[in-house]
Amino acid sequence: MNPVHKKFSRRARVATGGAVLAFVALAGFGAVNANASAPATTSSAATSAAVPARATTTSTHLTIDAATEAAQAALDAAEKENQRVTVAVVDRNGNTVVTLRGDGAGPQSYESAERKAFTAVSWNAPTSQLTERLQQAPTLKDIPGTLFLAGGVPVTAGNAPIAGIGVAGAPSGALDEKFAQAGAQAIGR
């Protein structure tokens, strides 16, 4: 038997071997970690590519100031009639830009306002008109994120939808839509 093994017990050899393995593993991890943080040596042509103008498009969006102005105007119109509503403004892609929840507005009104705004911008039509389309195509209501109740109006630029305003919480969809329309009309005054 090896004389070194005679001096160390089996337990000591296992502990020493484990320590050596741990050291080797940590040293290897440090080397890999150092290499992972080193900058890549690729050419700039590989990281970006120029595309021709015909491969892109430009879209128009409301500014945050215009969206806030519209939401506040809709909320003000509702408050003048003692209605407690929530107003949402979404961009062309249906992303919420501004939501104002009026004092005392019901908890359901938040999501309803966003969904009405999304529906109006998606179809470029007031949601009151879209409810009539459900008679011919009842499965439209199954599209995620939509709500086919009056209270949403699109905002357009050059006849293209660029935003939607949704109002929810008044006792009727006609009132909700009246307030949403007041918000749309306030843009750019």
Side-chain angles (χ1 to χ4, degrees):
M1 185 168 222
N2 188 340
V4 173
H5 286 188
K6 288 183 181 178
K7 292 183 180 178
F8 291 109
S9 69
R10 178 176 168 86
R11 181 180 288 164
R13 287 192 308 257
V14 170
T16 303
V20 169
L21 283 175
F23 176 77
V24 169
L26 286 174
F29 176 75
V32 169
N33 194 20
N35 288 334
S37 63
T41 56
T42 59
S43 68
S44 62
T47 58
S48 68
V51 295
R54 70 181 185 280
T56 63
T57 185
T58 302
S59 61
T60 304
H61 295 269
L62 283 181
T63 64
I64 187 70
D65 291 338
T68 303
E69 178 182 344
Q72 189 62 57
L75 188 60
D76 290 345
E79 287 175 348
K80 283 180 186 174
E81 296 190 28
N82 294 317
Q83 298 301 317
R84 298 173 180 172
V85 301
T86 297
V87 181
V89 179
V90 300
D91 67 11
R92 173 63 187 110
N93 300 321
N95 299 311
T96 303
V97 178
V98 174
T99 303
L100 297 178
R101 185 172 180 270
D103 293 335
Q108 79 289 354
S109 65
Y110 191 92
E111 181 180 353
S112 296
E114 287 182 331
R115 290 175 61 193
K116 288 179 183 183
F118 174 80
T119 305
V121 75
S122 296
W123 275 273
N124 192 23
T127 54
S128 60
Q129 291 177 10
L130 296 172
T131 59
E132 297 167 9
R133 293 185 194 177
L134 285 178
Q135 294 172 4
Q136 290 80 32
T139 57
L140 282 178
K141 69 181 180 331
D142 298 333
I143 297 173
T146 60
L147 185 59
F148 291 88
L149 297 174
V153 298
V155 176
T156 61
N159 294 325
I162 62 167
I165 301 173
V167 177
S172 74
L175 281 174
D176 285 340
E177 197 157 307
K178 174 183 172 182
F179 305 142
Q181 191 62 45
Q185 291 171 349
I187 297 172
R189 273 194 221 161

